[in-house]
C-alpha cells in the first residue's frame, strides 16, 4: 500500500476498541491536514478522530506537520509554502475559538523552507513567522534519501544534503530565531542527523517517526539487520542532547509491516507487538523527557484506526509512571513546540 491509496473507512471499522486510560491528556505531536484527489483530511476529519466524543482518547491539542498543503498556486517558488502556513494558522484559529469543540488542533505547526538557501533562508523564515507568530515553531525540509528506490516515484534528496555548507547555514538561521528543525529521515541517514546535531548544538532537532527503519522493497527481508543498524545509529543520535524523538509513524508502507494489505486492520495488541521493540528502545535511549507520541494521521490511517493506534501507544508504555506518561503524551510536545496555555499536569495527576 502506498501513500497514494485512500483511507478506507469501511476497512478500519472492522476493528473497534474502547479507549485505555481515557483521561490521559494527549498532544498529538505530528499530523497532517490536506485535500488531495484521493484523500480529504481537514479539520472535520481530524476532529472526528481526535475529539473525545468520537475517538474516546483525551486529545487536548495537536501539532500540524508540513505536507505541501494549500501552497500558493503562483508567485515566487520559494514563497509558495506561505500558503500552507496561512492555512494551518487559520485552522488553529478556528479550533482555538472553541466553536468546534475543546481540541486545540494545530496549536503549533512547522512549515517548509529550503534551508539550502543558506542565510537567505532567514528572510523566508521571518515571513513564515509573521503569518503565524503564535503557532509557527519551525520547519521540515525534504531530506529523505535512499539508494534503493523506496521513495519511487518521488525523487530522493541529495544523499549528503544535511552535511552541505548551505544547508547548515540555513539551519543556523533557524536556530538564531529559536525555531525547531524537524527531520524525517530513513534509518541509514541517522548518522547524518547526529553529525548535524553535534555541529549545531544550539539547534533544537526533532527526529520524526523514530528515524523510519525501512522494511519494504530492498529492505523487506532484512528486518533484523535493519533493526541492528537503526539501534546502533539511534544510540549515537540520542547522545546529542539537542535532539528529541517522535514515537510513531511506524505504520506507513515504508516500514513494511503490511497492515493495509490484510483483510482486517491490526488490533492494538498486534501493533504493540510489532512497534513495541522500536518504541521501547528509543525511550530507553532518549528517556521519557525527550520522547513524544504522534499519530502521523492520515498517513498511518491507511494502516490503523485512531483508537487502536493510541491504545497501542498506551500498551507499549504501560509500565511507566504517570509522570513519565505525561511527558511522552503531552509535555515534551508542549515544551518543544512552545504551546502556550496548556496545563496537563493537573489532569494527569489523577490518571493511573
Amino acid at each position: 500500500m502506498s501513500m497514494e491509496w485512500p483511507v478506507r473507512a469501511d476497512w478500519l471499522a472492522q476493528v473497534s476498541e474502547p479507549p485505555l486510560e481515557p483521561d490521559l491528556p494527549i498532544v498529538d505531536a505530528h499530523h497532517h491536514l490536506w485535500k488531495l484527489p484521493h484523500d480529504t483530511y481537514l479539520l472535520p476529519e481530524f476532529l472526528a478522530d481526535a475529539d473525545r466524543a468520537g475517538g474516546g482518547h483525551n486529545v487536548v491539542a495537536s501539532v500540524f506537520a508540513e505536507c505541501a498543503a494549500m501552497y500558493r498556486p503562483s508567485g515566487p517558488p520559494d514563497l509558495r509554502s506561505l500558503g500552507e502556513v496561512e492555512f494551518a494558522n487559520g485552522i488553529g484559529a478556528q479550533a482555538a475559538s472553541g466553536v468546534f469543540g475543546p481540541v486545540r488542533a494545530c496549536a503549533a505547526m512547522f512549515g517548509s523552507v529550503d534551508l539550502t538557501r543558506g542565510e537567505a533562508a532567514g528572510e523566508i523564515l521571518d515571513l513564515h513567522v509573521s503569518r503565524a507568530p503564535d503557532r509557527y515553531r519551525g520547519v521540515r525540509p525534504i531530506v529523505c534519501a535512499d539508494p534503493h528506490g523506496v521513495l519511487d516515484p518521488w525523487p530522493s534528496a541529495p544523499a549528503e544534503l544535511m552535511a552541505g555548507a548551505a544547508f547548515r547555514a540555513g539551519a543556523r538561521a533557524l536556530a538564531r530565531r529559536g525555531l525547531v528543525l524537524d527531520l524525517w529521515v530513513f534509518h541509514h541517514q541517522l548518522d547524518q542527523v547526529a553529525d548535524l546535531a553535534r555541529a549545531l548544538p544550539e539547534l533544537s532537532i526533532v527526529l520524526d517517526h523514530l528515524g523510519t527503519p525501512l522494511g519494504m522493497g530492498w529492505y523487506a527481508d532484512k528486518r533484523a539487520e535493519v533493526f541492528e543498524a537503526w539501534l546502533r545509529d539511534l544510540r549515537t543520535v540520542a547522545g546529542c542532547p539537542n535532539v528529541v524523538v517522535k514515537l510513531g509513524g511506524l505504520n506507513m508502507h515504508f516500514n513494511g509491516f503490511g497492515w493495509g494489505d490484510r483483510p482486517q486492520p491490526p488490533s492494538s495488541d498486534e501493533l504493540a507487538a510489532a512497534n513495541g521493540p522500536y518504541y521501547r528502545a528509543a525511550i530507553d535511549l532518549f528517556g521519557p523527557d525527550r520522547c513524544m507520541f504522534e499519530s502521523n494521521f492520515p498517513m498511518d490511517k491507511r494502516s490503523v484506526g485512531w483508537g487502536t493506534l493510541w491504545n497501542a501507544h498506551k500498551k507499549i508504555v504501560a509500565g511507566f509512571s504517570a509522570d513519565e506518561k505525561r511527558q511522552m503524551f503531552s509535555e515534551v510536545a508542549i515544551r518543544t513546540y512552545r504551546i502556550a496555555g496548556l496545563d496537563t499536569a493537573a489532569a494527569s495527576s489523577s490518571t493511573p
Side-chain angles (χ1 to χ4, degrees):
M1 171 171 287
S2 82
M3 64 181 70
E4 289 298 319
W5 285 33
V7 170
R8 296 171 292 163
D10 54 343
W11 180 76
L12 291 172
Q14 295 179 84
V15 174
S16 178
E17 300 180 357
L20 301 173
E21 299 185 66
D23 294 329
L24 177 63
I26 293 170
V27 175
D28 181 358
H30 189 112
H31 73 85
H32 309 289
L33 298 174
W34 55 41
K35 183 171 178 56
L36 302 173
H38 61 280
D39 191 13
T40 296
Y41 199 75
L42 297 172
L43 183 60
E45 288 77 18
F46 176 73
L47 292 179
D49 287 326
D51 187 78
R52 196 168 185 180
H57 293 274
N58 186 20
V59 181
V60 296
S62 74
V63 178
F64 173 87
E66 69 81 26
C67 52
M70 309 298 175
Y71 275 25
R72 293 177 177 180
S74 59
D78 284 342
L79 300 184
R80 292 181 186 176
S81 61
L82 279 167
E84 182 172 55
V85 179
E86 294 161 339
F87 159 68
N89 190 53
I91 295 293
Q94 291 179 56
S97 73
V99 171
F100 297 93
V103 181
R104 286 180 55 190
C106 304
M109 67 159 299
F110 52 91
S112 179
V113 171
D114 180 6
L115 295 184
T116 64
R117 289 177 53 87
E119 288 294 325
E123 300 172 6
I124 302 174
L125 288 169
D126 290 339
L127 289 174
H128 279 219
V129 172
S130 73
R131 297 305 195 275
D134 296 329
R135 297 183 178 87
Y136 195 84
R137 296 296 181 258
V139 304
R140 182 172 69 165
I142 297 172
V143 299
C144 278
D146 182 71
H148 301 293
V150 299
L151 278 165
D152 292 345
W154 299 276
S156 286
E160 302 299 322
L161 178 66
M162 288 179 281
F167 183 93
R168 293 193 174 185
R172 289 188 185 94
L174 194 69
R176 285 197 299 272
R177 289 161 174 80
L179 297 173
V180 174
L181 176 62
D182 265 71
L183 290 174
W184 177 34
V185 300
F186 297 135
H187 72 273
H188 53 73
Q189 296 177 279
L190 286 172
D191 58 339
Q192 297 179 50
V193 176
D195 286 344
L196 179 65
R198 287 191 293 252
L200 299 175
E202 72 279 15
L203 176 65
S204 294
I205 296 175
V206 178
L207 179 64
D208 293 349
H209 314 329
L210 288 151
T212 313
L214 292 168
M216 63 168 288
W218 188 83
Y219 304 92
D221 59 350
K222 299 176 174 63
R223 187 166 298 279
E225 176 185 336
V226 166
F227 186 90
E228 182 179 351
W230 168 83
L231 183 60
R232 178 197 65 221
D233 291 341
L234 190 70
R235 181 175 291 109
T236 304
V237 175
C240 304
N242 54 329
V243 183
V244 299
V245 64
K246 286 180 180 173
L247 306 174
L250 284 191
N251 300 300
M252 296 184 286
H253 68 290
F254 296 109
N255 305 105
F257 291 112
W259 305 122
D261 299 323
R262 301 181 356 157
Q264 287 190 329
S267 68
S268 59
D269 285 336
E270 290 176 298
L271 280 179
N275 294 170
Y278 300 90
Y279 284 44
R280 285 188 286 269
I283 297 168
D284 183 57
L285 291 172
F286 283 83
D289 62 342
R290 291 168 61 202
C291 295
M292 52 181 143
F293 279 105
E294 57 164 319
S295 71
N296 194 36
F297 264 39
M299 283 300 300
D300 277 33
K301 195 173 184 178
R302 290 159 171 77
S303 298
V304 59
W306 178 271
T308 305
L309 177 66
W310 287 102
N311 273 355
H313 288 170
K314 292 174 180 180
K315 287 181 177 180
I316 290 169
V317 296
F320 286 80
S321 71
D323 181 67
E324 289 168 329
K325 291 177 184 178
R326 180 171 58 85
Q327 290 286 332
M328 293 184 283
F329 281 97
S330 61
E331 290 299 316
V332 175
I334 291 170
R335 182 175 68 246
T336 301
Y337 293 111
R338 294 184 284 117
I339 301 174
L342 283 181
D343 181 9
T344 63
S348 294
S349 63
S350 62
T351 302

